[in-house]
Each structure stands twice: as structure tokens, then as C-alpha cells.
Amino acid sequence: MAGSVVSAPHAVVLGLLLLAGLAAAQRGTPAAAAAPAPDPGCNGIELTYTFNGRQMIRPHVSDKNKQPYSFRATASVVNSGTRPLKSWAILVAFAHGEILVGVDGAVLTGGGDLPYNTTAEDAGNATSFSGYPQTDLLTPIATAGDMSQIQANVSILGTLFAGPGPFTPLPSKLSLDDPDYACPTATNATAGVLSTCCVLTPEAEANATVADANATDPTKSFLPRGTGDLVITYDVLQAYPSSYLALVTLDNRAKLGRLDNWRLSWEWGRGEFIYSMKGAHPLSVDTSGCIYGPQGQYYQTLDFSQVLNCDRKPVVLDLPLSRYNDTQIGKIDNCCRNGTILPRVMDEAQSKSAFQMQVYKMPPDLNRTKLFPPASFKIAGASSLNPDYTCGQPVPVSPTAFPDPSGLDSTTLAVATWQVVCNITTTKGAKPKCCVTFSAYYNDSVIPCNTCACGCPANRRGPTCSTTAQSMLLPPEALLVPFDNRTQKALAWAELKHYNVPQPMPCGDFCGVSINWHVSTDYNKGWSARVTLFNWEDVDMANWFAAIVMDKAYDGFEKAYSFNGTSVGNNTIFMEGMEGLNYLVKQTNMSGSDYLVPGKQQSVLSFSKKLTPGINVVAGDGFPTKVFFNGDECSMPQRIPISTGSSTRLSSALALVLVLAASAFLLLQQ
């Protein structure tokens, strides 16, 4: 047949191809062409820092290495891997005294304000930038390589101090702020460009799945919920094209942390403003920023007299208890407690605070699904005894599930949810706000708080008193006297006991609260101690609490008689005032005295030796190693009372009891 005839040239070519295939098969190699070599570029998270130039600015100085320059730079994050990068953050170790003036495309992870000094003591070794508003970077596989979804750029404007060119002042380190990734040392890719490629650690790679890697649905792929001392949850309950309803919840998860009259602030990044609130109120009701800004130009028909706040960084306060049933601004669960948030171990019902707000948006976010939380949350308490918190940036988490209010067996999910984790921090060089004194039945003297335990005012330094001399032993009655009035008692006691008197005499402790721990008794089967709280502040302290860490005597704790005392683990005894008696009043004038006396409360604690055999109370086992008041760790004495013999076993205890009893009697006479 004509169709079966093969021309001679075609037959030759076909024969050559068959022979080539046979030869390849005999060699054990495939007949197909070899695959192209893999791309040697980054197959992980590529970070680059590009220095865009600098310009000398005034003042002009003679030291070239201290000459200020304005500079511009761009940091880039590209996801070239197989797993989405959630809530990305990068670390940049600036090395030329940089002061950041403007940041676009990200925010400072720690919520710092601009201008930001990257060399300040609290700045750390590197500056962390968190993506905002683009917090997540998808994979090239899931987006067909769409650079707008896999890349984020951060524009940086600032000031640096360095000598003249030709060198380029680049950072000393560039890495991803994520424990799941390992980043090799950044290298100079080209002139003025620092680059590194971060890859998943073996542990993180083992836990990654293909499904997670290619997930693009934001409702099905979330980071796990975080834990910390204080967790702020930002829930969007209702979403509209130009506004949304948000529920903000403050959840205290610290064992000993608390807040009084809390103040919460954040920074709007996309022109948002607060139309209304329930459960809280802004510190300032001001709409001028909207009326004269782009908000007023866009919402021309909106009655801005009804708008609550247009500040870019609003400050929000809790409502007083009297407004809880107010149908206009109250009626929100966990609201209206005058800003008091207590630890769960003290009162779980008061460990949360919440409020709602109606937020208006601006173009280009006029879409129900265009939802962005505010950034750079900050929270603080009004009391000097409240701890300091450092908050991270909002992280998208799985939507919060709310129980049906009618009681049906169903739940309602939030439209979107973000979480902000805040932790208690101690600023380098920060002083405590409370201190502890020690005394015992077997010694007449009281070991007072350390000199300048809570810091000494600058005007006290000098010849008037010594900030370094060891504090002087005191008679028990001196605990009721302000440190400014203790000089005569300390001198008289030193003369009576033949103690040395330093010149100049030591300064006081300057603490707002002092706590006396007195070992009262010690016998074969048990022992007891007495705790006395002294409030030297000018404000009353409601719902106070204290925590005592007893390393060796904890298991023997039995009971606190005038306080509510509870063993809470970790060798810690938690104490608070009994119902109706949990109010530590401020210092006041007492009839018959020419100085202010502190507010005070006292309780005896009993301990058994059955579960602590071998305990030596007199040798120091009967004294706490740490003491906390309202969540703040107190300064501890540098020594303990020593035994001076049986002749003085009752004098110290009796003296302090009589002094406290006398002061209470005089107060009742007022």
C-alpha cells in the first residue's frame, strides 16, 4: 500500500534514531535530553538591604566619624520557598548610629515611636521590622510567581553618623525574625546591597506539609494563638464596605501582673477613625483631624459632631462601674471596671476587660474584606506599682468563636481576628517600687530596706546623705516613721547598741510600699511569721495582693489569719485582703504625731515542720527569697537578723506589736 512505503532518507533517519536509543539503553541512561541545571538563586526567603544614598546635613562637625548624614534605604523580603511566610518580620543590625525617621511598608515590631534611636539601651542588638499592611507572603507556586503577593518592600528614611565615602554604611547583620528559619551571614551581593537567603530549619521543614505550603485561603491557614502576660484580641464582629464593628479584649494571663486604670493606645495606619464606642471612652474627644483631613474630604455628608475620635494614636480608657448598665455606652461584658485588671489566681472574673468600637475606613479599603487592624499597641497602668509591658504587632489568628447569646448550642465566628501579645518587661537600670524589711523575735533590730532601694532623687545626691552606704539597723518603732524623719531614731539606736554611723548617713529607700517580714515564733512542730504592709503613697490601694516566695518553707505553709493566703505553686504563697478589708489606705496625719504615718495591714502566717524536716528558721530558712506586691518585685534586704541570745527573744516582737496597736488606737480616735 502507498501508506506503508517509507522513503530512503526517512528510513535512514529512523534507523539512526533506533540505534541511538538502543545504545542509550545499553549504557543505562535515558534517551531524552538532559534536564537543565537548577537555578542557583535563593529557594527560601530572600532578604536584601539596598542602600539608596546619603547626603550630608547640618550641623557640620570637625570629627568626620560623627558627621550626620540623611540616608535612604530599602529592605526587601521575597518568598521564594514552598511555605507561606506568615506575619513576617526582619532583623536589621544598624552599625552607624542610625536614627530612623520614616518607615513605610512595615512598623517597628516593638511598637517604638519615630524618630527611633537604634543604639538606645532598650533598642537591643538589632531593630525588628514587621510587615504592615502586607503581613503575609504567599508562595510562588500558589500565585504563579505574582511578585505583588510574594514580595514586600520597606522604605527607610533616617540619619546616620559616619565618615565620608567611598565606603557604604551598611548594617552589620540582616536576618529573618522567625525561629523556623536559619539565615546565613548576609554578604555584599553588589555595591551597596546586603543579601542573605533564609531556609527552613530541619525541624520546621519536617512539620511543613504540601497542603499548608500551597494554601491561599486566609480563612483556613492561621498561625497558632500566642501566649503572654497580657493578650489583646482584636475581633471584627461586623463588616461593611466603609466601616466595621470591632471588639477589643484585654486578657491578663500573668500570674502576678495587674493593671489599675489601664490606658490603651495604638496607631492607625490607613486613615481610620473611631465613630463610636461602648465599654470604654477615648481620653480626648477630638474630630479636628478628620474635619481638616482627607476623612472630611471623603465623607462630606457625615456629621462629624457625632464622631468620637480622629487621632492617629488614640488613648482609650475603661469606664467606671457606674456606667455598666448605661444603654448608650455600657452593656458590654467585662467592661466598666475603672480600668482594673487582676490576675486570674486572685479573681478570674476580673482578669479581662473589653470594649467595642465602630471604625470607619478610608480608600482604597472600601470593601468588606479589606480589613486591617491598627498597629503598635501600648498599654500601661496609672499606678506606679503596675508593671511595664512591651507589645508585639497584631498577628492574624483563627476567628474567635462566640457562644450564641440565646443559649442555643451553636457558635458565631468573628469575621476576622488578630492577636497582640504583650509581656512584662523590666527596663535596664529600672528600680523596684517596693521593698522588704526583715526582723525576728530573737533580735531587737530591724533590717531596713536597702539604701535607695527604689532610687534616690537627683537632688538628694551630695553631702546630705550617702547613696552607697549600707542602711542602718533600726528600732522596730522606726518602721512607722517616714525615712525623712528616721535620722534621730537611727542615731539614738546606733548609740544604744554601739553601732557604727557612716558619714554621711545613708539615704532612705524612697519606696512607695514597704513590707515587713517578722519571724514571730519557732518551736518543735512549727513556726510563725507576721507580714505587715506599709503604704507610703498618697493614693489608696484597692484590691491589693502580695506574693511571697519561700524556697525551703513553702511545703509547710498552713494558714494566713487576717489575709486570704493560698499556695499557688512554684514555692509561692499568694495573699490578698479579705472581703471588705482589701483596701490599703494611703499615708495620713495621725493625731499626736508631727509626721505622716503609712496606711497598713497585718497578718500572721503559720507554718508546720511536718513536711519540711530539717528546716532551720533562725539560719534563714524562715525568710522569703522574693516578695512581690501588686505584681512588682520588691527590693530585698542584703542580710537577715542574727540570733543574739535568749534574753531578747520577746522584745522585738512585743515592741512592734505594741507600736502597731498604739497607732491603730490613735487612728480610731480621729
Side-chain angles (χ1 to χ4, degrees):
M1 295 178 61
S4 62
V5 177
V6 179
S7 62
H10 287 87
V12 172
V13 172
L14 181 60
L16 292 174
L17 290 175
L18 290 172
L19 290 173
L22 181 60
Q26 291 174 346
R27 292 194 304 267
T29 57
D39 183 3
C42 179
N43 286 327
I45 308 299
E46 184 178 10
L47 307 180
T48 58
Y49 180 95
T50 305
F51 190 82
N52 297 327
R54 58 172 171 160
Q55 182 177 1
M56 184 185 296
I57 59 175
R58 291 186 179 277
H60 296 166
V61 299
S62 58
D63 188 345
K64 295 181 179 180
N65 292 324
K66 295 182 180 179
Q67 175 62 45
Y69 293 81
S70 66
F71 79 97
R72 293 181 180 274
T74 302
S76 175
V77 185
V78 181
N79 186 0
S80 300
T82 58
R83 193 172 80 164
L85 184 61
K86 297 287 186 177
S87 296
W88 65 264
I90 59 173
L91 288 170
V92 181
F94 293 101
H96 299 89
E98 284 86 347
I99 298 174
L100 306 183
V101 177
V103 177
D104 187 24
V107 292
L108 296 172
T109 302
D113 295 321
L114 299 176
Y116 179 79
N117 188 351
T118 63
T119 61
E121 287 188 4
D122 57 348
N125 297 324
T127 302
S128 180
F129 297 91
S130 292
Y132 186 87
Q134 188 177 6
T135 60
D136 301 339
L137 299 178
L138 300 180
T139 68
I141 298 173
T143 61
D146 183 358
M147 295 302 294
S148 66
Q149 299 185 68
I150 68 174
Q151 179 177 4
N153 295 315
V154 182
S155 298
I156 301 172
L157 170 66
T159 301
L160 58 79
F161 300 85
F167 86 97
T168 302
L170 290 172
S172 61
K173 180 181 178 182
L174 180 66
S175 63
L176 198 62
D177 194 2
D178 190 327
D180 286 347
Y181 287 85
C183 302
T185 302
T187 58
N188 293 80
T190 58
V193 178
L194 201 63
S195 179
T196 186
C197 179
C198 305
V199 296
L200 283 169
T201 63
E203 296 80 5
E205 192 169 13
N207 295 329
T209 64
V210 175
D212 290 338
N214 298 326
T216 58
D217 187 348
T219 65
K220 298 179 181 178
S221 178
F222 299 100
L223 289 174
R225 290 185 173 240
T227 58
D229 294 325
L230 181 77
V231 176
I232 302 173
T233 306
Y234 194 90
D235 290 301
V236 175
L237 304 181
Q238 300 171 4
Y240 308 98
S242 61
S243 68
Y244 63 85
L245 179 66
L247 173 67
V248 182
T249 305
L250 315 178
D251 186 4
N252 183 14
R253 301 182 183 180
K255 186 176 181 179
L256 299 175
R258 69 173 288 162
L259 285 167
D260 298 283
N261 301 110
W262 55 258
R263 294 188 173 202
L264 178 67
S265 67
W266 59 78
E267 183 174 1
W268 296 116
R270 305 182 69 81
E272 302 97 328
F273 59 93
I274 303 173
Y275 183 81
S276 62
M277 299 184 77
K278 296 187 71 175
H281 67 102
L283 179 63
S284 171
V285 178
D286 183 11
T287 59
S288 59
C290 286
I291 294 174
Y292 298 103
Q295 296 88 347
Q297 297 178 11
Y298 182 79
Y299 292 102
Q300 294 187 10
T301 60
L302 183 66
D303 182 6
F304 279 95
S305 66
Q306 302 299 314
V307 173
L308 206 55
N309 184 273
C310 291
D311 294 338
R312 185 179 179 184
K313 296 181 179 181
V315 178
V316 176
L317 311 177
D318 193 14
L319 290 174
L321 181 61
S322 59
R323 294 301 186 97
Y324 178 78
N325 291 317
D326 191 315
T327 56
Q328 297 295 320
I329 61 175
K331 289 290 186 179
I332 298 295
D333 289 343
N334 300 314
C335 87
C336 315
R337 292 170 177 163
N338 206 31
T340 297
I341 304 179
L342 301 176
R344 293 184 179 183
V345 67
M346 185 175 181
D347 189 345
E348 187 169 0
Q350 293 198 48
S351 65
K352 289 184 179 181
S353 196
F355 62 90
Q356 286 184 1
M357 60 181 178
Q358 190 78 27
V359 179
Y360 269 68
K361 303 185 293 182
M362 288 288 291
D365 299 337
L366 302 181
N367 188 303
R368 294 178 188 272
T369 61
K370 287 282 189 177
L371 299 170
F372 300 95
S376 301
F377 280 77
K378 296 180 181 178
I379 189 165
S383 172
S384 61
L385 291 165
N386 291 149
D388 297 323
Y389 291 85
T390 297
C391 300
Q393 294 298 338
V395 174
V397 295
S398 58
T400 302
F402 297 95
D404 189 280
S406 66
L408 293 176
D409 187 16
S410 65
T411 58
T412 301
L413 295 180
V415 177
T417 300
W418 290 266
Q419 217 179 38
V420 178
V421 176
C422 305
N423 287 304
I424 296 174
T425 57
T426 302
T427 305
K428 185 178 180 180
K431 294 290 185 180
K433 300 161 188 173
C434 54
C435 63
V436 177
T437 66
F438 283 163
S439 57
Y441 70 88
Y442 50 79
N443 194 306
D444 285 337
S445 298
V446 173
I447 298 176
C449 296
N450 297 328
T451 303
C452 298
C454 299
C456 279
N459 59 358
R460 295 300 182 109
R461 299 183 183 276
T464 56
C465 64
S466 171
T467 60
T468 57
Q470 189 178 59
S471 56
M472 297 176 60
L473 298 178
L474 298 173
E477 65 271 14
L479 292 178
L480 287 166
V481 180
F483 41 76
D484 284 340
N485 301 87
R486 290 181 184 176
T487 302
Q488 295 302 321
K489 291 185 178 294
L491 289 173
W493 191 250
E495 182 178 1
L496 178 65
K497 297 294 184 178
H498 306 291
Y499 296 150
N500 292 327
V501 178
Q503 293 296 332
M505 292 181 63
C507 299
D509 55 71
F510 295 94
C511 294
V513 171
S514 58
I515 301 173
N516 175 252
W517 179 271
H518 180 83
V519 175
S520 302
T521 61
D522 183 18
Y523 48 94
N524 292 336
K525 295 184 179 180
W527 60 283
S528 64
R530 185 178 61 250
V531 180
T532 309
L533 312 178
F534 300 92
N535 181 9
W536 301 99
E537 296 278 6
D538 293 326
V539 294
D540 298 328
M541 296 182 184
N543 299 316
W544 62 266
F545 69 85
I548 311 293
V549 179
M550 304 290 296
D551 287 343
K552 296 185 179 180
Y554 172 77
D555 291 336
F557 173 68
E558 291 183 323
K559 183 179 180 181
Y561 289 87
S562 300
F563 298 158
N564 286 326
T566 308
S567 300
V568 295
N570 294 326
N571 297 334
T572 303
I573 301 170
F574 187 88
M575 296 183 296
E576 58 181 315
M578 291 184 175
E579 186 175 354
L581 300 174
N582 57 347
Y583 211 74
L584 187 57
V585 299
K586 62 185 178 182
Q587 63 177 359
T588 183
N589 285 316
M590 187 176 70
S591 177
S593 67
D594 55 358
Y595 49 79
L596 295 174
V597 296
K600 50 197 168 296
Q601 287 200 19
Q602 185 181 87
S603 178
V604 172
L605 280 64
S606 62
F607 294 81
S608 170
K609 293 183 178 180
K610 182 177 180 180
L611 299 178
T612 56
I615 188 171
N616 192 333
V617 176
V618 176
D621 296 347
F623 292 91
T625 53
K626 290 184 179 180
V627 175
F628 298 82
F629 182 80
N630 278 358
D632 190 74
E633 185 172 354
C634 303
S635 172
M636 301 295 291
Q638 298 172 348
R639 57 198 190 279
I640 63 172
I642 60 174
S643 177
T644 57
S646 59
S647 60
T648 59
R649 284 183 176 267
L650 295 177
S651 58
S652 177
L654 183 60
L656 187 56
V657 170
L658 291 176
V659 168
L660 292 174
S663 64
F665 175 77
L666 289 174
L667 282 173
L668 292 174
Q669 302 304 309
Q670 293 185 347

